[in-house]
Amino acid sequence: MSFFRKVSDSESESESEEELMSDYEKEEGAQKESTSAQPARKSAFLKGADSDSSSEEDSDEDESEDDDDSDEDEDDGEGGPAVRRQSRFLRGASDDSESEEEVKKVIKSAREKRVDEIDAVARTIENASRIDDWVAISKEFDGLNRLADRLKVVNEPTPPVYYKTLVTLEDFLNDSLAKEKTADKKMKAPNVRALNGMKQKLKKVVKDHEAAIATYRQDPEAFEANYTATTAPAAAPAQPKKAKKAAAPGAEEEEDEDFQTVGRGGKAVTYTSEGLFKSLAAVMEARGKKSTDRTEQIEILTKLMGVAVSTYQKIRVLLALLAARFDYNQSAAAYMNIEMWNSALKEVEQLTKILDQDRTYQVKELTKDYDDEIDRLPNQGDEGPIVEVRGSLISFIERLDDEFTKSLQYIDPHTTEYVDRLRDEKLLYRTIILSQNYIETIDQPGTLSRIMMRRLDHIYAKPDNIIQALETASASAGEPLNKSKSGLCPSPEEVAANADGASALIRSLCVQLYKTAGLETERLRTRAMLYHIYHHSLRRDYHIARDMFLMSHLQDSIGMADAATQILYNRVVVQLGVCAFRVGLIRESQGALQEIFASTRVKELLAQGVSRANPYATPEQEKLDRQRQLPFHMHINLELLECIYLVGSMLLEIPNIASANSEADQRRNIISRTFRKMLDFTDRQVFSGPAESTRDHVMAAAKALQNGNWKESQEQIAEIKIWKLMVDHDEVISMLKSKIQEEGLRTYLFTYAHYYKSLSLRHLAEMFELPISKVKSIVSVMIWNEEIQASLDIGNVKEEEGGYIVLHGVQLSKVQVLAQQLAEKANSLLEQNERSLDGKLGDRAGPGEGRTGAQDRDGREGRDGAGPRREGRRGGASGRGRGRGRGRAQFNALPGQQTV
């Protein structure tokens, strides 16, 4: 009895008729059960299986009377006992079984089965992602791609779930890579290998479906609706509205009343202008939470933008929408999606247009508190003539610029994708110009300085023709979005029309930044000065750039600047060296580049890469180093820099080596140690093949110049292909040829002067194919600098003959050479003695203590007192140089002095 009751109860829970059984029927059924025999138990069993029985009185009657009683007692009046028993026994499958059987017996087409297989694999990948099982993800991903390829074979469209899986996997992969770098506990080796393999496979697949993925990211619902409309049968009377919506995904929701947005509570969600602030508050409240769907937030804010009516509503929604777009990418290591970036760029322009057209509203970072849930109007309530909205327009522009730079850092510069991305710079630059024109009309000097700095970032390293083309593109990019014009710098039309328009633009922006006051803008002023110097260096205005650099005294305080400013300083120094080289100032060029090339970390100093990995660097340091790297199109070619440095060192070192009287002089008078090492390595080579690289050409030219073959040296330098990267390479090569002739003459005089008593200027001019006046000038400078002991005899000589050089040099004997070496060693010992004495006595002697001895003529004090101060030991201002320039007479002890 209890068994049957349990069966009856369990079945009655699944049916609504049993739940509505009256109390009277339950009591009567209980009495019948207590008095009935075996047939009653059968009736109870049948009762539990029959949904339409209303009483159990038929259980006490005979079998012969069952038919008549059943006709009277049953409410439904259906058939005979056999039919009724069958109906009661199969009650669970009588009413609802028909619909269930219809669902089970649905026949799917081959296309639907293939789609179901893709959906199943996608769910498996999703489940594996939750536990970070990259081995399973990699295996299932291969199967997913095989199923997608099968659809292409049968010429069927790819379902949206495939693109959804690719998008989800791409975001999950970026997050996993970022977490793996900073995680204390690393993944296991098989999982790491699968993760790295998935990185390559997913990148290839995403690139193949780039357009479809971009469309899906922009509007997933419209993408799915379009797929449904494409795959729906031609005659589908049951879904006319859905097909219409899929065909026009951009239509308004009012056109399709059957489809509405449904919230979590199951209620339809509608967005109106009256409830805009409540919906906006709900979105802002969910911002930053872990379970927040950022895509859904962007969709909601986009719909709110469509129903916004007033200016205040549009400004509030745009500020929230831009913040949501920038929050979409959680990983700091990955750059912002390009489609999302383009949408944000358009919305920034739209916000600038709204603010420029309606000057009664301003966006400021610091405002007084106000009610967020009402529409604020000027001169109403507590509002003044200008309504201030809390926000920051310049922050959005800076974030757009940073994301643009980050995308260029992470994209392979040798692909067309990098070039396509670089084309977006003109759109960003146009937005910066429009924002600057608007900000100039409002009282926000700090914001104006920041937007000007961003504009300078895009033009300071570009030649004049590129700047003019960029300004022309900004001026002709459709209708202007705002009515404001800049009053502080030339307009894009003026820059494009004037030959010096680019220089005038950069000068006006830099001068405006120079005028900003306050410690908070000191960094902006420093960077503006460096930008200005860099631009003059590009224009070959070396003396202007050098004077600005020296007057700024940046070399004294650059060590306290931030890393980005120090990188910019290094770039300016390098560009100054290149500029000096282009105008023929070899010594100045080599001096500027020597500071950079003295280090082995040229790439790091210029933020153009990493020479070698640092084993002690933490992941945070590596991430910072990666963020500081400049985009590829802003790099200064390192091979060209090295070529300029080596050629300049050659022109200085070869005459310097020839002028040395001994090996000690050569070791002491070294201009470039890097060049000397390369030259020594070339000398040690047993066999030297033809020059191939830039270094080979420079070393071959140096050896030829050292041997007196200046023509071969010219040919080797002219054959270097890297010169083509310079705009004025023809002028540079011509300048280098004349410099090689001049330095060849100097090398010849240093090498062979002690073999002659006199030399004809005309003979030297013919030998090196130089004008006689040029030869006379070079020799005169050498005599004045005491590089050679000679004089010119041009008394009664015709001008075309030039005259003669009378040499007075005396060849030093071996003893004299040894005496000079001894004097040098004695000078070195004296310097070491002075340093050690300063270290022992300098700290104990306070100012004015123990000065009992008389000060000698050389600035040194007596040593009678305890710890005397040793000032002016080497003469000159504060004794700079430690022994340099000291004459030999100073080695003699003065009267009354104690020598050390």
Side-chain angles (χ1 to χ4, degrees), residues 461-500:
K462 292 181 173 61
D464 290 356
N465 55 348
I466 303 298
I467 298 176
Q468 290 177 340
L470 195 60
E471 293 285 334
T472 303
S474 302
S476 60
E479 294 293 331
L481 292 181
N482 57 359
K483 57 186 179 182
S484 301
K485 297 295 181 182
S486 176
L488 301 177
C489 58
S491 64
E493 294 81 3
E494 295 174 352
V495 174
N498 192 359
D500 294 331

Side-chain angles (χ1 to χ4, degrees), residues 3 106 191 267 284 312 436 443 452 526 587 860 887:
F3 171 73
V106 169
N191 218 22
K267 298 180 180 180
M284 298 304 293
Y312 179 72
Q436 177 192 337
D443 187 16
M452 285 185 170
T526 301
R587 188 171 295 275
R860 291 179 291 182

Side-chain angles (χ1 to χ4, degrees), residues 82-118:
V83 177
R84 185 172 146 223
R85 289 192 190 97
Q86 184 181 8
S87 177
R88 287 178 178 178
F89 184 77
L90 300 176
R91 175 181 172 276
S94 61
D95 297 334
D96 299 332
S97 62
E98 295 180 0
S99 60
E100 292 177 4
E101 289 176 358
E102 290 177 0
V103 174
K104 293 179 181 178
K105 293 181 180 180
V106 169
I107 300 175
K108 294 185 177 180
S109 63
R111 181 185 62 80
E112 293 174 341
K113 290 181 180 179
R114 285 189 286 267
V115 173
D116 290 342
E117 290 178 355
I118 292 178

Side-chain angles (χ1 to χ4, degrees), residues 557-574:
S557 59
I558 195 63
M560 297 181 291
D562 58 294
T565 305
Q566 291 183 12
I567 291 170
L568 178 60
Y569 174 84
N570 295 335
R571 286 168 54 83
V572 169
V573 171
V574 166

Side-chain angles (χ1 to χ4, degrees), residues 220-439:
E221 293 182 358
F223 190 88
E224 294 179 1
N226 191 15
Y227 171 78
T228 304
T230 305
T231 58
Q239 298 179 350
K241 298 286 186 179
K242 188 174 182 179
K244 180 179 179 181
K245 183 174 183 179
E252 297 293 332
E253 292 184 1
E254 290 77 9
E255 298 178 1
D256 193 357
E257 299 178 357
D258 292 349
F259 291 89
Q260 296 180 352
T261 304
V262 179
R264 293 184 178 180
K267 298 180 180 180
V269 179
T270 57
Y271 301 103
T272 60
S273 177
E274 292 76 11
L276 183 141
F277 293 108
K278 291 184 178 180
S279 302
L280 188 60
V283 172
M284 298 304 293
E285 183 180 357
R287 180 186 177 189
K289 294 183 179 180
K290 187 175 182 181
S291 59
T292 302
D293 188 354
R294 292 175 173 81
T295 305
E296 182 182 359
Q297 277 196 321
I298 294 175
E299 293 174 357
I300 293 173
L301 291 171
T302 304
K303 294 176 181 178
L304 290 177
M305 189 62 200
V307 300
V309 177
S310 64
T311 302
Y312 179 72
Q313 289 179 344
K314 294 179 180 179
I315 293 174
R316 285 286 309 278
V317 174
L318 281 174
L319 291 174
L321 181 57
L322 285 168
R325 291 195 185 278
F326 289 126
D327 289 345
Y328 184 80
N329 188 12
Q330 291 181 315
S331 176
Y335 59 89
M336 188 177 181
N337 181 268
I338 297 179
E339 289 73 17
M340 193 74 70
W341 185 88
N342 288 325
S343 301
L345 182 67
K346 294 178 182 177
E347 287 155 5
V348 169
E349 289 186 351
Q350 185 179 0
L351 178 61
T352 306
K353 176 183 177 181
I354 293 173
L355 294 173
D356 188 62
Q357 291 179 349
D358 192 348
R359 295 304 180 90
T360 57
Y361 292 90
Q362 286 187 9
V363 176
K364 291 187 176 181
E365 296 180 359
L366 299 176
T367 61
K368 63 180 182 179
D369 295 336
Y370 54 84
D371 190 357
D372 292 338
E373 297 184 358
I374 60 173
D375 196 353
R376 302 166 61 196
L377 298 174
N379 298 319
Q380 291 189 9
D382 297 335
E383 303 296 339
I386 297 178
V387 178
E388 296 181 353
V389 186
R390 189 178 297 109
S392 179
L393 178 62
I394 183 61
S395 296
F396 292 138
I397 296 176
E398 289 177 342
R399 183 66 185 276
L400 280 173
D401 195 7
D402 293 340
E403 291 293 340
F404 176 76
T405 304
K406 188 187 295 185
S407 65
L408 292 176
Q409 290 173 346
Y410 281 85
I411 297 175
D412 187 0
H414 305 290
T415 60
T416 56
E417 183 182 2
Y418 187 90
V419 179
D420 295 338
R421 181 57 175 158
L422 194 58
R423 291 173 181 169
D424 295 334
E425 185 178 14
K426 63 181 180 182
L427 303 177
L428 177 60
Y429 186 73
R430 176 172 177 260
T431 304
I432 292 175
I433 293 177
L434 298 174
S435 301
Q436 177 192 337
N437 295 343
Y438 163 71
I439 294 173

Side-chain angles (χ1 to χ4, degrees), residues 687-702:
F687 172 76
S688 297
E692 296 179 357
S693 63
T694 301
R695 292 185 180 182
D696 294 342
H697 280 285
V698 176
M699 291 300 107

